[in-house]
Amino acid sequence: MDPALIKLALGGLAVLGCIGLFFGIGLGLAAHKFAIQINPKVEEVIEVLAGAQ
Amino acid sequence: MKERMRHLTLTGLLLAAILVSVGCDTGHRFVKKTEFKDGETIVITFAGPVDEAWAKEKANYAVYEEPDPDILLPIKEISLSPDRTKVTLSFDDGLNTRQAHVLKTKEMLSEGRSQGTAILTVKKLYFGLLLSIFIGAMVVNNFVFTKYLGLCVFFGTSQRKATAVGMGITFTIVIVFAAMMAWALYQFVLKPFQLTFLNIVVFIGLVSLSVQAVDTILRKVNPALFKAFGVYLVLVIANCIAIAVPLILADNEYTGPESFMLALGAGLGFLVALFLMSSARERLELANVPPSFRGLPIAFIVAGLFALAFLGFSGMSIH
């Protein structure tokens, strides 16, 4: 195998991994920051109600 | 009201000033203006009359596209206006007006006096280019009607006018967001690292990322709008226009503003398509359609007719 190609592949893995990590952490932080409280009882009540339409 | 008028006038003046400065800046005192005309000719406007013998000599001009100085474009014909201030150069092949051209002249002669040599750049007004990208993506190359992309979402959400408009607006917001990120990532990460062969993978990730981000943020910041968008926000992921736009802007090496206009045009074009289709389909429900054609089949026929109508725009461009 051509070492240049291996280098490219490994570099690609590293770069894409970094991008993924970056955006993943970003989304995680956003989800944390913009978290909203959902009353768990809402789900329970919907569960109990008849489900058709 | 008065305040608003003043704002408008100021903005208008500013825009006019930018247009004027972009259009006339030639870098030589004897040459007033250089511009493309009709996509095939270059018009040079001089500050004074030039000698006819000088103007008509083809060897006095050298024209090439800015990135390829070695390839001189052959001049077919030169015409001079009666007052001898305007020279029109026409070329054997059409010009690629998207590209800036460089025009070099040998020593210019005016009334027997020399005005020196000039190296001029000829380029299309940048606003014109942006506008042509925008109109091109929105109408001339409408993604739904001329490229047949995003059809599943198109047929799925075009039954009611209200849902169609909701989907169109949501889609426009997300596509602009995703395209700008795709442009930045492509230009500043993928290209320097020679990873452009991975762009499909990256762009798909980016689209879902932007949908997720808009979903998360909107849920908190503007719950009313979030409720109005409803299920359409998630449906954007299933729309293939969202992946076509980043691929197109990467292929054509668009700059930031150009990418923005492309994405905006694509989004608004989708909105227009959805709106037209939903208007027609609301009428169709009242029409007397044969039973075997009711529902989706007649919708496909109507979409085909719309596509035929949009074919009338094909080949149009803004000079």
Side-chain angles (χ1 to χ4, degrees):
Chain A
M1 237 348 218
D2 190 353
L5 287 180
I6 294 176
K7 206 174 142 196
L8 185 70
L10 291 182
L13 271 181
V15 169
L16 282 201
C18 287
I19 296 174
L21 207 65
F22 174 73
F23 283 121
I25 290 174
L27 266 189
L29 285 181
H32 196 70
K33 193 171 173 209
F34 293 101
I36 42 170
Q37 302 288 327
I38 299 174
N39 195 338
K41 280 180 188 160
V42 172
E43 197 109 308
E44 281 170 35
V45 169
I46 290 176
E47 196 84 338
V48 171
L49 291 173
Q53 300 300 319
Chain B
M1 195 63 196
K2 236 179 185 174
E3 188 81 347
R4 209 187 139 92
M5 284 299 286
R6 217 172 58 200
H7 268 146
L8 278 178
T9 343
L10 272 179
T11 322
L13 278 178
L14 194 71
L15 275 180
I18 292 172
L19 277 176
V20 166
S21 64
V22 169
C24 294
D25 185 20
T26 61
H28 193 280
R29 69 194 154 74
F30 188 60
V31 182
K32 264 201 339 218
K33 206 161 95 182
T34 51
E35 60 182 346
F36 290 120
K37 209 165 184 191
D38 306 330
E40 294 170 1
T41 60
I42 290 179
V43 179
I44 317 165
T45 313
F46 293 100
V50 286
D51 291 357
E52 189 162 358
W54 177 85
K56 290 275 172 111
E57 176 57 51
K58 285 180 192 170
N60 281 333
Y61 308 91
V63 183
Y64 55 85
E65 290 185 7
E66 205 168 26
D68 310 307
D70 301 333
I71 308 169
L72 292 183
L73 304 177
I75 297 170
K76 189 169 74 181
E77 213 187 319
I78 301 173
S79 61
L80 190 62
S81 67
D83 61 351
R84 291 189 288 142
T85 56
K86 259 189 188 175
V87 170
T88 307
L89 308 176
S90 50
F91 296 85
D92 287 337
D93 317 309
L95 295 169
N96 175 16
T97 49
R98 269 195 53 121
Q99 197 61 260
H101 284 57
V102 176
L103 167 67
K104 282 186 179 171
T105 65
K106 292 210 179 122
E107 209 168 7
M108 294 176 284
L109 294 176
S110 163
E111 318 263 305
R113 277 185 28 222
S114 164
Q115 298 288 350
T117 57
I119 302 172
L120 314 160
T121 44
V122 191
K123 59 184 169 201
K124 214 169 163 181
L125 286 186
Y126 198 53
F127 286 97
L129 179 65
L130 289 183
L131 194 68
S132 73
I133 288 176
F134 176 72
I135 300 285
M138 187 168 137
V139 181
V140 183
N141 296 315
N142 187 294
F143 281 83
V144 176
F145 289 137
T146 68
K147 297 191 168 115
Y148 313 117
L149 293 176
L151 286 187
C152 37
V153 181
F154 174 66
F155 283 111
T157 59
S158 63
Q159 268 157 338
R160 292 273 164 279
K161 231 182 252 175
T163 54
V165 171
M167 178 68 206
I169 293 173
T170 319
F171 179 72
T172 309
I173 294 170
V174 175
I175 185 92
V176 169
F177 194 66
M180 289 324 286
M181 285 210 299
W183 165 75
L185 218 56
Y186 176 77
Q187 288 294 341
F188 303 121
V189 180
L190 293 186
K191 249 172 58 175
F193 286 99
Q194 296 170 344
L195 293 172
T196 47
F197 59 93
L198 285 176
N199 55 13
I200 294 182
V201 180
V202 174
F203 292 160
I204 288 178
L206 270 185
V207 172
S208 21
L209 174 103
S210 39
V211 169
Q212 183 61 52
V214 172
D215 186 294
T216 311
I217 295 171
L218 211 62
R219 199 188 286 263
K220 173 86 175 183
V221 174
N222 196 338
L225 195 63
F226 179 76
K227 242 194 177 139
F229 284 173
V231 70
Y232 308 121
L233 199 53
V234 188
L235 267 181
V236 172
I237 300 183
N239 193 332
C240 37
I241 302 176
I243 188 74
V245 168
L247 286 177
I248 288 175
L249 68 88
D251 266 357
N252 293 331
E253 303 282 338
Y254 277 170
T255 61
E258 291 167 7
S259 308
F260 178 79
M261 291 315 256
L262 177 76
L264 197 66
L268 292 182
F270 191 63
L271 176 63
V272 167
L274 273 176
F275 182 75
L276 289 176
M277 191 64 187
S278 60
S279 312
R281 280 179 85 173
E282 279 187 353
R283 292 281 187 99
L284 271 182
E285 278 181 10
L286 303 173
N288 187 12
V289 180
S292 50
F293 278 104
R294 243 164 240 165
L296 214 47
I298 193 73
F300 265 97
I301 293 174
V302 171
L305 292 178
F306 271 126
L308 274 181
F310 267 71
L311 209 61
F313 292 117
S314 70
M316 277 189 191
S317 67
I318 302 163
H319 285 301

